[in-house]
Amino acid sequence: MDLNILVLPGDGIGAEVTGEAARVLRHVADKWSHRLNVREGLLGGVAIHKTGTPFPDETARLAADADATLMGAVGLPEFDNAPPEKRPEKGLLRIRQALGVYANLRPVRAYASLLDSSPLKNHLVEGTDMIIVRELTGGIYYGTPRGIAGTGAEERAVNTMAYTRSEIERVTRMAFHLAQARRKKVTSVDKSNVLENSQLWRRVVTEMAREYPEISLDHMLVDNCAMQLILNPRRFDVVLTENMFGDILSDEGAVLAGSIGMLPSASIGDRRPSGAWVGLYEPVHGSAPDIAGQNKANPLGAIGSVAAMLSYSFGLQEEASAVEAAIAAVLRSGRVTADLRPSGTPATTEQVGESVCAAIG
Ligand code: NAD
């Protein structure tokens, strides 16, 4: 198979973790005889430095031409006080919108070998296996009007949380579709006791559930969900929620997985004529300026994102399973980075990438 991949390393540890993810991708391509064509582009702070904008037109063109895009992370402290349009994070929002990737899938698993890395009690976390489906191109991060106006005591900031029925329907369909291949349970998370937006969300999800009689659906308020994720994470199979709630809840997932560096994600749009899903793949973590350039970052979230890419964008289930099994084997071996190994000598980012390739065989 031809695998035309765009890699956008971005800022901070982005280049380090995508370097190892690309290493694993090359290894898989060699082993299963796929033709791999990797191109590299600019996104985020590095793109602002080189072109003046966080999402250059050239990057938009490369992403549209690629079968799938692998992203690192964006964000540099020097832009912390820059206006939104000139911030690296704007590049992230714009590429998601340009590719139309409306569903962000974030699997959260508690690996047995990492139970001790979680600050939660082992018996609570053990067996956790869920996927958070977050709506990604609507809601308050994109809604208008937005902005800050006025001065003094009258200075006022506005953001708008807006969803259309069709935006809710398509991400709901994705969640039910995923649940069919899992434990057949969807928990839809909203704030319908306060927000009209959530009332529409709940009504549309409930209506759509009638098309999937084999799936059990329940609804949960987001504040309760934040609590249940910690108290009883095993109760969740597929968690479906809007953009901002999903952003916040999925970071909570990092506590269950042992480290934020472990979490992969896949952002999926519509199907291409070939049947493959349009996909943007990235670890959940940010650019981690505190450890950037030190060969310390955990690359397993980025490598897990490669497994998701092989599965969703290319339908290569055997290759995807091999990468996932290799991640589990590396975790069992204890040859892991410092975030998962508070004592003893940790492995470097590169060593973890090499170990994953070795475990694939
Ligand atoms: P962060 O995820 O970058 O870091 C949070 C903590 O987790 C830090 O202590 C960091 O060292 C650690 N960490 C993160 N990834 C790790 C990894 N792979 N291995 C080991 N440790 C890891 O979040 P932050 O500090 O809130 O944000 C830093 C910058 O990243 C900000 O500019 C923010 O806007 C940006 N950000 C970008 C994305 C993205 O590109 N998708 C996501 C979140 C934050």
Side-chain angles (χ1 to χ4, degrees):
M1 188 178 242
D2 286 313
L3 311 177
N4 295 306
I5 313 291
L6 173 64
V7 178
L8 301 172
D11 306 317
I13 62 169
E16 297 164 64
V17 299
T18 50
E20 295 317 304
R23 182 201 298 275
V24 171
L25 200 51
R26 281 194 301 274
H27 187 81
V28 167
D30 282 351
K31 177 165 174 172
W32 276 271
S33 303
H34 298 300
R35 281 182 301 272
L36 179 65
N37 174 24
V38 175
R39 306 191 73 178
E40 209 169 276
L42 296 170
L43 187 81
V46 62
I48 299 177
H49 280 305
K50 292 199 173 151
T51 70
T53 161
F55 182 49
D57 291 345
E58 171 69 0
T59 302
R61 198 182 57 71
L62 289 170
D65 286 349
D67 296 327
T69 299
L70 174 69
M71 234 166 58
V74 299
L76 292 173
E78 69 198 77
F79 293 107
D80 279 355
N81 297 316
E85 284 303 316
K86 288 286 177 194
R87 288 191 61 135
E89 292 80 356
K90 194 70 181 181
L92 205 61
L93 298 181
R94 286 181 52 202
I95 191 171
R96 289 170 177 166
Q97 201 171 33
L99 287 174
V101 286
Y102 56 80
N104 182 232
L105 319 183
R106 297 185 166 191
V108 179
R109 278 175 64 191
Y111 289 92
S113 44
L114 288 187
L115 288 180
D116 288 335
S117 305
S118 170
L120 301 177
K121 295 191 177 81
N122 288 5
H123 75 272
L124 289 179
V125 183
E126 197 170 8
T128 296
D129 180 4
M130 75 180 86
I131 182 160
I132 299 177
V133 179
R134 163 188 170 196
E135 200 290 330
L136 200 61
T137 51
I140 200 163
Y141 292 177
Y142 290 93
T144 52
R146 65 184 297 159
I148 305 176
T151 53
E154 297 307 311
E155 189 172 13
R156 188 165 178 268
V158 176
N159 289 96
T160 302
M161 187 185 231
Y163 272 110
T164 62
R165 169 178 282 273
S166 63
E167 284 174 322
I168 302 169
E169 281 179 356
R170 62 186 184 178
V171 71
T172 300
R173 206 165 275 123
M174 180 75 75
F176 279 93
H177 176 79
L178 288 168
Q180 282 171 327
R182 296 177 49 97
R183 303 197 303 280
K184 301 191 167 38
K185 183 173 174 192
V186 172
T187 302
S188 175
V189 176
D190 61 42
K191 189 69 184 165
S192 60
N193 54 342
V194 178
L195 300 175
E196 285 80 358
N197 201 271
S198 283
Q199 286 162 6
L200 178 66
W201 181 279
R202 189 175 282 216
R203 182 150 52 82
V204 172
V205 173
T206 305
E207 284 169 19
M208 292 198 65
R210 295 185 195 124
E211 294 174 28
Y212 301 87
E214 73 283 19
I215 306 288
S216 89
L217 168 70
D218 64 348
H219 300 275
M220 194 178 275
L221 297 176
V222 61
D223 36 356
N224 184 27
C225 183
M227 188 167 69
Q228 296 304 326
L229 278 172
I230 300 296
L231 290 178
N232 187 12
R234 274 194 302 263
R235 82 172 291 293
F236 295 103
D237 179 16
V238 176
V239 177
L240 165 66
T241 193
E242 66 87 49
N243 202 344
M244 182 171 65
F245 297 162
D247 192 5
I248 296 168
L249 293 176
S250 55
D251 268 28
E252 219 182 322
V255 181
L256 303 166
S259 161
I260 194 154
M262 285 302 302
L263 294 182
S265 86
S267 302
I268 308 286
D270 285 324
R271 279 185 196 262
R272 290 231 160 102
S274 64
W277 299 98
V278 173
L280 178 67
Y281 301 87
E282 55 179 313
V284 166
H285 62 76
S287 56
D290 52 334
I291 57 166
Q294 299 174 38
N295 207 5
K296 270 186 183 174
N298 181 351
L300 292 176
I303 294 171
S305 303
V306 163
M309 173 192 284
L310 293 166
S311 168
Y312 294 125
S313 280
F314 300 106
L316 297 173
Q317 304 307 343
E318 185 186 333
E319 289 85 333
S321 301
V323 174
E324 278 167 2
I327 291 173
V330 169
L331 291 174
R332 279 195 303 276
S333 76
R335 204 171 154 72
V336 290
T337 42
D339 52 319
L340 298 175
R341 195 189 162 104
S343 59
T345 310
T348 63
T349 309
E350 284 172 5
Q351 284 168 340
V352 172
E354 286 161 4
S355 301
V356 171
C357 292
I360 291 170

